[in-house]
Amino acid sequence: MPTPTGDILDSDTGATGTFVVANAPVINKQLATKAIPVQVATGTVIYSTHTAELPIPSLPRATRLCHTLPDLTHLLVSVRQLCDAGCLAVFDKNAIVITLNNTVLMLGKRHHVSRLWHLTILPPGLSPAIEPSPHIAARQHLPQTTTVAFANAAHLSASLAELVTFAHAALLSPSLSTLCT
């Protein structure tokens, strides 16, 4: 089994699934029977070539499922998918912790340039000694809300043109006159 320790995965609260690069540290990799189209932040549609699983046996199989996108430059872990499976994702200004049933599955730090949270998968059996923070304990006692919220991740771009293209796509491609007024 590949060991993903040290490989960087970007936490993505806006992704509908977990998407990985061709050489990602995954298990059970198989040629996709049906390629899925994925629209990336620039508006380009890219297609999956394989399905595989993240090597985290404590997650339900549906949550471990990931799609290989050869044109992708970063491994994107769907925080929505993790939370739907019962995981707790806690972000603060410097770090992220993903837990399931009080077991830490992934830890990460916030990147100093992109300001995004990067994750690493912990090897089986390794459980870091971390104290539950007060905001995690307080979160368990909050009432449920019906408010719908959205969040989308952007990656560090090399040029102003890429940033403008991303912003335009993130705003659902409005006419330029709308943006200029």
Side-chain angles (χ1 to χ4, degrees):
M1 175 194 305
T3 303
T5 306
D7 288 308
I8 302 297
L9 303 98
D10 289 344
S11 62
D12 192 338
T13 58
T16 57
T18 295
F19 305 110
V20 299
V21 296
N23 62 348
V26 294
I27 58 174
N28 302 327
K29 188 173 182 179
Q30 299 177 10
L31 192 62
T33 56
K34 182 179 178 186
I36 61 166
V38 177
Q39 185 173 353
V40 296
T42 61
T44 304
V45 175
I46 57 179
Y47 293 87
S48 66
T49 58
H50 293 80
T51 59
E53 295 178 29
L54 294 175
I56 309 174
S58 55
L59 285 176
R61 184 185 184 283
T63 305
R64 293 190 315 257
L65 180 66
C66 56
H67 301 276
T68 301
L69 301 171
D71 296 328
L72 203 62
T73 58
H74 298 83
L75 287 78
L76 302 175
V77 174
S78 173
V79 175
R80 178 203 55 85
Q81 196 172 8
L82 292 170
C83 291
D84 286 350
C87 290
L88 178 63
V90 178
F91 296 80
D92 68 21
K93 73 178 193 171
N94 297 315
I96 179 175
V97 178
I98 306 288
T99 62
L100 178 63
N101 301 324
N102 297 319
T103 300
V104 176
L105 302 177
M106 292 183 251
L107 290 173
K109 293 182 179 179
R110 196 167 186 190
H111 191 269
H112 69 284
V113 175
S114 70
R115 306 304 295 151
L116 297 175
W117 289 266
H118 299 296
L119 290 163
T120 55
I121 300 172
L122 295 178
L126 178 64
S127 182
I130 59 170
E131 293 292 320
S133 67
H135 64 277
I136 293 175
R139 167 66 175 92
Q140 295 171 354
H141 303 291
L142 293 176
Q144 295 297 317
T145 178
T146 57
T147 304
V148 176
F150 297 94
N152 294 297
H155 289 284
L156 179 64
S157 296
S159 70
L160 180 59
E162 287 179 356
L163 290 171
V164 170
T165 301
F166 171 78
H168 187 253
L171 293 169
L172 304 176
S173 304
S175 66
L176 292 179
S177 62
T178 302
L179 294 174
C180 296
T181 58

